[in-house]
Structure formats: structure tokens, C-alpha cells
Amino acid sequence: MNRLLASLLRRVVRKGDLTITDAGGVHHHFGDGSGDPVRITLADRDVEKAILRNPELTLGETYMEGRWQVADGTLVGLLTLFLNNIGGRSPSRFRHLTRLVTRRWAQHNTRKAARRNATHHYDVGNDIYALFLDEDWQYSCAYFAEPDLSL
């Protein structure tokens, strides 16, 4: 299992009984073992990264895509386990914690990645610029508070 995801789950899931079987078949236990056990199985390794990036969105999306399944217990039981552990903390607190844990990984930018990103964003040809630049390839923008104002 992804070390960052395991670290996040250890910090969040302190009460309850959660077992996650990763795509390699390894079981990971979280919580104090109390309550009804909930066990989920991950279908692929990339689902771990997806959930780390934005757990509030991708937990549901990846479930609907069949990339993880509830093997023991229920989906409601899993969500209840998470809500019981988040307690009075808002989901935005959970999101903040996730970002802190994953920041280094998400912001890692090698020279190769920087070159690829720049190429993707700027080496797009002239056709796209012709759509919004004038004949001199200039761009300007103005805000008009009233419809009858001009430059």
C-alpha cells in the first residue's frame, strides 16, 4: 500500500475496525478493532493515488468505477467509520490533512517533468492564438461597468 495513504489512514482511523486489502493482496489494518469490521479490497494500485489526491471526490468515483469493493460490512458502515473518526472536524480539515501529507509528492517537479509541462502548455501551435489575438497578435482585456462605456 502507498505509504502516504497508510500514514493518512493511521492518523484518521483511530476508532473502529478497517482492513484494506491492496491490489497486491496484502491486508492493512487501521483503528482499534472496535465495532463492526469493515473490509475493502482495492482493484488496482492507481486507486490509492487517486484517493490521496482528492479523497472527498475520488473515493466515490473510484467506487462507482469498480476500482474498490466492500468485501465485509457495508458501504454505509465504511462511511460511518470515517465520519465517526472525523468527529466534529469538518471535511475541509480532512482535506487539509490530506494535502499536508501529500504535498511533497504532489509538488515534486523534475527537469524532465517541467520541460514536459511547459511543452504541453506552450507548444500548441498558432491556430489557437489566432482565435483570440488581433491581426498584430496582441491581446487586451477591459472591464466595462456600464454597457455604453468604451475604451
Side-chain angles (χ1 to χ4, degrees):
M1 171 178 274
N2 183 300
R3 286 186 4 220
L4 293 174
L5 182 59
S7 174
L8 177 66
L9 288 169
R10 273 192 298 279
R11 292 175 113 180
V12 171
V13 181
R14 296 179 183 258
K15 297 180 287 186
D17 184 1
L18 174 63
T19 301
I20 298 177
T21 304
D22 65 25
V26 179
H27 304 289
H28 306 272
H29 302 278
F30 303 94
D32 61 5
S34 65
D36 295 330
V38 177
R39 300 187 193 331
I40 66 172
T41 304
L42 306 180
D44 64 79
R45 293 193 188 280
D46 290 337
V47 72
E48 298 172 16
K49 292 177 188 172
I51 291 171
L52 269 172
R53 275 187 234 113
N54 187 352
E56 293 169 319
L57 176 65
T58 57
L59 188 67
E61 283 183 346
T62 54
Y63 175 77
M64 295 302 294
E65 293 166 353
R67 297 175 67 193
W68 63 270
Q69 300 82 35
V70 178
D72 189 16
T74 64
L75 184 57
V76 171
L78 174 67
L79 297 176
T80 300
L81 183 140
F82 282 133
L83 288 173
N84 286 339
N85 279 281
I86 292 172
R89 296 177 287 177
S90 70
S92 62
R93 171 80 174 122
F94 182 72
R95 187 181 323 120
H96 176 72
L97 183 60
T98 303
R99 286 189 185 132
L100 286 177
V101 171
T102 62
R103 179 180 293 159
R104 272 207 131 119
W105 171 73
Q107 291 180 346
H108 182 69
N109 194 22
T110 63
R111 284 182 187 236
K112 183 178 177 180
R115 184 176 306 278
R116 183 182 64 240
N117 291 339
T119 298
H120 174 75
H121 283 84
Y122 298 108
D123 293 350
V124 293
N126 290 337
D127 291 344
I128 192 163
Y129 297 108
L131 294 172
F132 61 90
L133 298 178
D134 68 12
E135 61 276 354
D136 293 324
W137 293 87
Q138 300 294 315
Y139 174 80
S140 66
C141 178
Y143 170 74
F144 298 96
E146 303 292 330
D148 58 341
L149 293 178
S150 71
L151 287 176

